[in-house]
Amino acid sequence: MSDQQLRHLIHMVNQIAANQYGDPSTAAQRVTTHLQKFWARSMKAQIIDYLDSDGAELSPVAREAVADLKRLRQAS
């Protein structure tokens, strides 16, 4: 995946996280659920790899959601 594609994924996950309204304590969980349902396996792998290598451009909610996604993938 190109750098441009990775930037697009970072932008998308940050937008999804920013659009979570309601209870802030469950925002990351809602983002994780969205990623599980709607993102392709390759997209999820790329954003997890980004979190592992740097992750600096992820918002706090997005970072938590991607970390949760990683834990779920490892558990399955």
Side-chain angles (χ1 to χ4, degrees):
M1 194 173 274
S2 73
D3 187 55
Q4 183 178 5
Q5 290 171 314
L6 176 58
R7 296 236 169 263
H8 185 66
L9 292 179
I10 294 165
H11 179 74
M12 286 194 311
V13 73
N14 283 336
Q15 280 188 317
I16 295 164
N19 285 305
Q20 296 304 310
Y21 301 102
D23 185 358
S25 68
T26 60
Q29 179 184 4
R30 292 190 306 268
V31 174
T32 303
T33 299
H34 178 92
L35 299 177
Q36 287 178 298
K37 286 183 179 181
F38 300 111
W39 280 34
R41 184 175 304 186
S42 61
M43 295 165 68
K44 292 183 265 192
Q46 184 73 15
I47 202 69
I48 289 169
D49 288 347
Y50 173 69
L51 175 69
D52 289 343
S53 68
D54 180 18
E57 294 181 41
L58 295 173
S59 71
V61 171
R63 178 183 297 274
E64 183 179 345
V66 175
D68 289 345
L69 182 66
K70 178 181 177 181
R71 281 190 289 276
L72 289 170
R73 285 183 58 150
Q74 290 173 338
S76 61

